[in-house]
Amino acid sequence: MFIEPIGGLMNRALWAELLDDRKFYFPVVAEGKDPPQPLSVEGKPALVNRKWRPIGDEAAVTMDRAQPYVGAQSVRVAVDAAAPHGFGQGGLGVAQGREYVGHIVANGTPGTVLTVALAWGPGAGDRQTVTLPPLTAEWQSLDFAFKPGADTADARFEVTGAGTGFFRVGTVTLMPADNVDGWRADTIAVLKSLHSGFWRLPGGNFLSNWDWHQALGPRDRRPPVYDYAWSAMQPNDLGMDEYMALTRLLGVDPYVTVNAGLGDAHSAAEEVEYLNGPATSEWGAKRAANGHPEPYGVRYWNIGNEPYGWWQIGRTSLDYFMIKHREFAAAMRAVDPTITLIGSGAMPDQMHPRDAKENASLESIQAKFGTENDWTGGLLAKAWGDFDGLSEHWYDTVEKRPDAPPADELMEFARAPANQVRMKAEEWAIYQRRFPAMAQKPIFLSIDEYAYIGAGTKPTLKLALAYSMVMQEMLRHSDFIRMSAFTFGISTLDVTPAGATLNATGQVFKLYGERFGAGVIPVAVTGDAPPPDPKFAVGYDHPQVKSGSPTHPLDIVAGLSPDRRSLRVAVVNATFQPQPLSLAVQGAKADGAGRVWRLSGPDLDAQNKVGAAPQVTIIEAPAPSLRGPLTVPALSTSIYEFPIRMGGPARVAGQ
């Protein structure tokens, strides 16, 4: 899985913080008086945080830039005995009976008393108020807790004071009491069921102007930062220690991308030392001082995020970045020579001028190889030996096919994103011919960002069939595709303040994670029904290749269990009819009846929602012997497992 903190993407879904702008990066002003935020690098408007608003006389609320607690400013409120003054934030999602805990860091005129309140409705009884101990002139952290009496997506948190003088607030936080190291416990529990191998974190566009050094130590003391890639404020609560805690909770390996946008090789080497160095090293000692004496032992490292993109902060030319990549690699390996380094590549089908419209084919991209529009080739030609693997990112946009018959529309919808993977495989073969050294020193491809995006990509059964075909195409090329990371990890969930559950997309990853995961040995699949050419395309960025197995309309991959005692066959049926399937296995003999794990639902629009019975489910059932014909139900992804006795190299033929 892949994750990055785009705006408030992680807050409330994965990170447990309820409050936006908890360190007051923005001034506390009345509605309509907010200062303008700059557009993102791509020219997109700002991602809007929930704002703090004055309570009582708005003139009593000002920003103190002379002695802030953290960052550039703290909020200062002049109090009045006649009426409460303060500030509040609405739009919070809370669940009835769930405990929420927090603290506020404040000072002020000695003896001033603050109250904090959580309101979950408009009535006088729809709120809980906590009176805090009297303030002093020194900053102090004051704890509080709430237990709302109703579910709502529009609760309001308020801070007010009364008396004479003033109070100042440097930061405030509010989280569910059952959070684990700041992460939502319920979300973590569901995500563990995906059986992911690793999470790429942090990564993404925001990384290219983020300094990881600023996100160390006590979270309240980390200054908030502005993310110019997405035009959004980040409170800087998520640093490397928090990300490492997340991977520990999930039981996955961390995969770290270093800032090669505005960042430098020296900072990247320090990051390696902070995460992997002994406590006796300079940065290992800082990690130990932050409560983590043992090295994290991060194995996988990525140099830069999409440095080829016009949208990327610090974007530069291919030749210049090759110099930069080699400097990063040397500095990072000098600290820890055991790390696995992944270079930021981009193949010619992904590379084109900003406004170009192209459905790439193998013929149309030939002239791009070896040019500025071939960053993967650039790394192979100019940085050989300074990476172990190469990354690739792709996003496929849903195509509208208004005139296509429903059966054809479904098949094309399901196949389209898998064609992105097939194009990488076709291009990889070209690189192997262009660079014979790839045969002597095997390197691998990491598709560490990918997603099917646009209108029509709600997490339904229909989308699950498409992601099943993506998974199968990657498994089909696991001779060189060794890693992949889906955008985003939390896109596998339906999340509310009351809980979390796997959505239809999440069920795909759970199915393959449990039944086709680590240790499965690939088995070749043959057939006599090759997939047809893609059709009905009216948009752009759709590679003109044919993904799938030669068993159309079914898509099949196969593998042996790690102990070679069972054959696993994964089948996607993205049609409206049950499909017959006969399997002929070479090199093995059937040894009894099998089992099947089947992902399906009542219709293409089926979804999974918190608080409702899941519609897209995985059901385990008996399966007939491998010797007999199978019937694969419509609109399903099935993984069969058959006991076998090996007699030689295995191969599966499907009809």
Side-chain angles (χ1 to χ4, degrees), residues 28 42 66 122 164 185 245 456 458 522 526 556:
V28 180
E42 296 185 57
T164 59
K458 289 182 179 180
T526 61
I556 300 176

Side-chain angles (χ1 to χ4, degrees), residues 410-432:
L410 172 59
M411 181 57 68
E412 292 301 298
F413 175 93
R415 289 179 62 205
N419 287 341
Q420 299 277 356
V421 181
R422 177 56 67 97
M423 178 60 96
K424 309 310 168 201
E426 301 282 2
E427 291 170 285
W428 194 262
I430 294 172
Y431 289 124
Q432 288 176 317

Side-chain angles (χ1 to χ4, degrees), residues 396-401 404-419 452 462 465-466 469 531-538 542-547 552 574-576:
D396 199 75
T397 304
V398 169
E399 186 68 82
K400 293 183 179 180
R401 304 177 179 90
D408 289 337
E409 192 280 332
L410 172 59
M411 181 57 68
E412 292 301 298
F413 175 93
R415 289 179 62 205
N419 287 341
Y452 205 8
K462 185 178 182 181
L465 294 173
M469 295 187 80
D533 292 333
K535 51 187 175 180
F536 306 117
V538 295
H542 301 294
Q544 299 302 289
V545 292
K546 296 181 287 186
S547 62
H552 189 79
T575 76
F576 292 104

Side-chain angles (χ1 to χ4, degrees), residues 52-308:
W52 296 103
R53 301 300 183 195
I55 295 174
D57 181 7
E58 65 179 89
V61 183
T62 57
M63 305 309 295
D64 180 6
R65 295 177 178 84
Q67 296 177 302
Y69 176 78
V70 62
Q73 59 188 11
S74 296
V75 61
R76 184 184 189 280
V77 180
V79 294
D80 188 329
H85 291 165
F87 52 90
Q89 184 178 125
L92 311 184
V94 296
Q96 181 179 9
R98 191 174 191 181
E99 186 178 15
Y100 296 86
V101 297
H103 65 262
I104 187 169
V105 177
N107 69 8
T109 303
T112 299
V113 174
L114 296 186
T115 59
V116 292
L118 182 69
W120 52 87
D126 298 331
R127 64 168 45 225
Q128 183 178 353
T129 301
V130 177
T131 300
L132 301 176
L135 297 180
T136 69
E138 303 299 322
W139 291 108
Q140 56 184 318
S141 180
L142 306 172
D143 297 333
F144 52 81
F146 302 109
K147 189 171 288 187
D151 294 342
T152 181
D154 195 25
R156 181 174 175 80
F157 175 77
E158 298 176 346
V159 180
T160 56
T164 59
F166 70 93
F167 69 88
R168 296 191 302 170
V169 175
T171 186
V172 61
T173 183
L174 182 65
M175 291 186 175
D178 61 353
N179 78 84
V180 183
D181 295 331
W183 301 99
R184 270 187 64 162
D186 51 357
T187 305
I188 295 295
V190 177
L191 287 170
K192 288 183 70 173
S193 71
L194 298 177
H195 300 280
S196 301
F198 72 91
W199 275 50
R200 177 177 177 242
L201 72 186
N205 295 350
F206 103 102
L207 184 75
S208 292
N209 73 280
W210 180 64
D211 183 356
W212 70 275
H213 301 88
Q214 293 183 324
L216 298 177
R219 288 195 290 269
D220 283 349
R221 283 295 193 180
R222 302 175 191 174
V225 295
Y226 199 79
D227 172 11
Y228 288 94
W230 297 108
S231 192
M233 182 278 305
Q234 292 295 342
N236 229 7
D237 288 339
L238 297 178
M240 299 317 302
D241 290 314
E242 284 75 24
Y243 286 124
M244 295 302 105
L246 174 62
T247 58
R248 173 180 54 80
L249 293 169
L250 293 173
V252 300
D253 284 340
Y255 170 29
V256 174
T257 304
V258 297
N259 178 356
L262 301 184
D264 58 81
H266 181 71
S267 295
E270 290 179 332
E271 189 170 4
V272 174
E273 186 170 279
Y274 184 84
L275 294 178
N276 289 4
T280 53
S281 65
E282 178 184 358
W283 284 93
K286 296 178 188 295
R287 181 195 65 242
N290 288 331
H292 308 281
E294 294 301 317
Y296 291 114
V298 178
R299 177 182 175 187
Y300 299 105
W301 293 81
N302 179 207
I303 299 176
N305 180 82
E306 300 174 0
Y308 47 82

